[in-house]
Amino acid sequence: MAAQGKHALVFGASGLVGWGVVDQLLSNYSTQGTFSTVSALVNRPFNVQDSFWPERSPAMPDLQLVSGVNLAGTTVGDLEKLLQAEVKVLKSENDPEEEVRVNRDMLECAVGALNSLCPQLDFLVFPSGTKEYGIHIPGGVFTAPYDESMGPLPDRYQNSINYPALRAVLKTASAGKQWSWCDIRPDAVIGFVPNGSAFNLTAHWATYLSLFALVHGKGTNVPFPGTQKAYTSLYNEASAATIAKCAIWAALHPNRTRGGQVFNIADQAKAESMNERWPVLANWFGLRGIAPRSSPADIDDQAREEALKPSEFIKKHGHLLEAKGVRSSAVFKGDFLDAYGYYLDFDRQLSLDKVRRAGFVEEVNPNDSWMRAFEMFKVAGMIAVGSNEGSHYT
């Protein structure tokens, strides 16, 4: 059993960011012995044996997995009973205003229970996102690089995001308490989760490229499904591992991060584009990633095939994934990629100056983050073709 240290409570531990936080905590980031217990709260069925978290060792913190924590429609009293004294709360809805209400209620439930059950609570880290900068609005709102001083969005867009309402909940809940909080803000998140996620960009690209390699074979050109502007627009993504490390660092340095401060986070400060990333991603699947096609789609069968949007391609050939026994492929959203390559056609890179001044300076090559996630999906049996394994299907 680990020596007595801090106790980390992770809501949404089976989600993309939550899984990464638990993974880093069990890997003893950043110093062994800092945490003695990790309580991982999940809603969906989940077990440690299938989690792909580090194998148990005496040097690791103790892991407590608490299943069935559905914050939607749960009262503070109900949550207290579920957690008993044990001690990324986000849910998507089609209606933006309903999404704000549901997520606000969920967070109020969570922090209400924490205030009641955890008198020694030190710090809470809240992961938001770049919708705060209006990346979901055609053409964007602000001029990149985005920094934390930008905002708020114009009034007509305020109801389209839930983050301001969630920060208001945290500000109210922490008033007069010994604990404080901060907001960690990434753009696109790179990462692995073992039970699928409808909002995992890495999984969507892995499914699409894996299937493309199955259909067309190793060595085939795969054009980026989008526009030339989207292909060359600048951004800097964040791996779940980097977000987790920054969150842990922030919680351990409250004197630098407290008071509801916002910190942009990414794998590296340098901005890149899909022009640089796409060939690397495609190569892992034995494909040659090339720029978007600009020629008409009716030239030949290959051109027509390449002109299919990702959702159309996956719908047409998805039976091959089923035949290969790929797990969770139904969870992945090809239609998410349909939009990705078309509406994100403007620079949206984040400035990391503030988090660097505060003291978090770790960087990693984003390509390494993508490759690690792909490898994890392959090991978990969630993609059909890995590096140098492309085979041709007719």
Side-chain angles (χ1 to χ4, degrees):
M1 181 175 179
Q4 187 61 37
K6 292 182 178 294
H7 185 163
L9 178 64
V10 183
F11 284 90
S14 62
L16 182 55
V17 173
W19 185 93
V21 172
V22 175
D23 186 57
Q24 290 300 318
L25 288 166
L26 296 182
S27 300
N28 283 313
Y29 181 85
S30 62
T31 305
Q32 182 177 326
T34 300
F35 293 90
S36 59
T37 306
V38 176
S39 292
L41 277 60
V42 301
N43 175 22
R44 294 177 289 177
F46 197 73
N47 63 74
V48 174
Q49 291 72 26
D50 298 328
S51 68
F52 291 89
W53 286 324
E55 292 187 8
R56 182 74 197 138
S57 78
M60 290 169 52
D62 293 331
L63 175 64
Q64 300 172 346
L65 181 63
V66 184
S67 299
V69 183
N70 183 1
L71 292 176
T74 300
T75 67
V76 171
D78 289 338
L79 186 58
E80 289 177 1
K81 292 174 184 176
L82 178 62
L83 295 180
Q84 298 175 346
E86 269 231 327
V87 176
K88 168 181 166 188
V89 181
L90 291 175
K91 187 174 187 291
S92 176
E93 299 285 347
N94 291 327
D95 176 34
E97 292 188 10
E98 178 66 6
E99 181 173 313
V100 171
R101 184 195 66 77
V102 169
N103 283 282
R104 182 185 62 240
D105 290 350
M106 290 166 59
L107 187 58
E108 285 178 343
C109 173
V111 296
L114 292 175
N115 272 338
S116 175
L117 297 172
C118 306
Q120 299 304 312
L121 179 65
D122 290 329
F123 205 84
L124 189 150
V125 180
F126 164 63
S128 64
T130 48
K131 279 190 175 182
E132 286 273 17
Y133 299 128
I135 70 157
H136 58 301
I137 299 167
V141 175
F142 304 112
T143 300
Y146 299 152
D147 69 60
E148 297 86 348
S149 67
M150 293 178 174
L153 293 176
D155 289 344
R156 64 185 181 278
Y157 298 122
Q158 281 297 309
N159 291 335
S160 64
I161 56 174
N162 55 44
Y163 301 134
L166 301 186
R167 282 199 300 275
V169 169
L170 293 174
K171 182 178 180 180
T172 299
S174 62
K177 302 293 192 299
Q178 70 171 19
W179 64 273
S180 191
W181 62 281
C182 75
D183 175 347
I184 303 295
R185 185 175 296 173
D187 187 27
V189 180
I190 313 162
F192 163 83
V193 282
N195 57 353
S197 171
F199 300 97
N200 187 340
L201 179 64
T202 323
H204 302 333
W205 282 130
T207 301
Y208 176 68
L209 290 170
S210 174
L211 184 57
F212 202 97
L214 276 175
V215 173
H216 296 299
K218 183 172 62 176
T220 304
N221 289 339
V222 53
F224 177 71
T227 67
Q228 186 64 33
K229 283 184 67 177
Y231 193 60
T232 56
S233 62
L234 296 175
Y235 67 97
N236 44 359
E237 65 267 70
S239 63
T242 293
I243 298 169
K245 290 177 180 179
C246 185
I248 296 167
W249 168 84
L252 295 176
H253 297 84
N255 57 317
R256 307 181 197 178
T257 59
R258 64 184 299 112
Q261 292 188 71
V262 177
F263 295 95
N264 290 340
I265 188 60
D267 273 3
Q268 63 179 20
K270 177 186 176 184
E272 296 184 316
S273 68
M274 287 304 287
N275 181 43
E276 298 161 288
R277 189 78 67 242
W278 185 245
V280 177
L281 305 188
N283 182 69
W284 194 87
F285 296 90
L287 300 167
R288 291 195 298 267
I290 62 174
R293 293 289 196 193
S294 57
S295 57
D298 59 353
I299 297 176
D300 54 30
D301 290 343
Q302 179 67 24
R304 282 194 293 273
E305 183 79 1
E306 291 175 354
L308 292 175
K309 291 182 178 180
S311 64
E312 297 169 335
F313 186 86
I314 292 173
K315 182 177 181 179
K316 179 178 180 180
H317 300 292
H319 64 282
L320 297 176
L321 297 176
E322 297 176 7
K324 294 284 284 186
V326 174
R327 298 196 304 111
S328 300
S329 60
V331 176
F332 303 142
K333 287 187 171 183
D335 55 353
F336 183 87
L337 299 182
D338 294 350
Y340 183 87
Y342 291 89
Y343 88 88
L344 288 173
D345 61 356
F346 50 89
D347 292 346
R348 57 194 184 279
Q349 69 269 28
L350 302 176
S351 167
L352 302 187
D353 289 349
K354 183 177 179 180
V355 76
R356 295 292 184 257
R357 289 194 302 270
F360 184 79
V361 297
E362 293 193 33
E363 291 209 345
V364 63
N365 186 328
N367 290 331
D368 293 339
S369 297
W370 282 95
M371 299 307 107
R372 180 177 182 270
F374 287 164
E375 289 287 353
M376 293 290 289
F377 281 122
K378 179 182 174 183
V379 170
M382 298 173 73
I383 54 176
V385 174
S387 181
N388 298 317
E389 292 183 4
S391 56
H392 187 67
Y393 281 72
T394 58

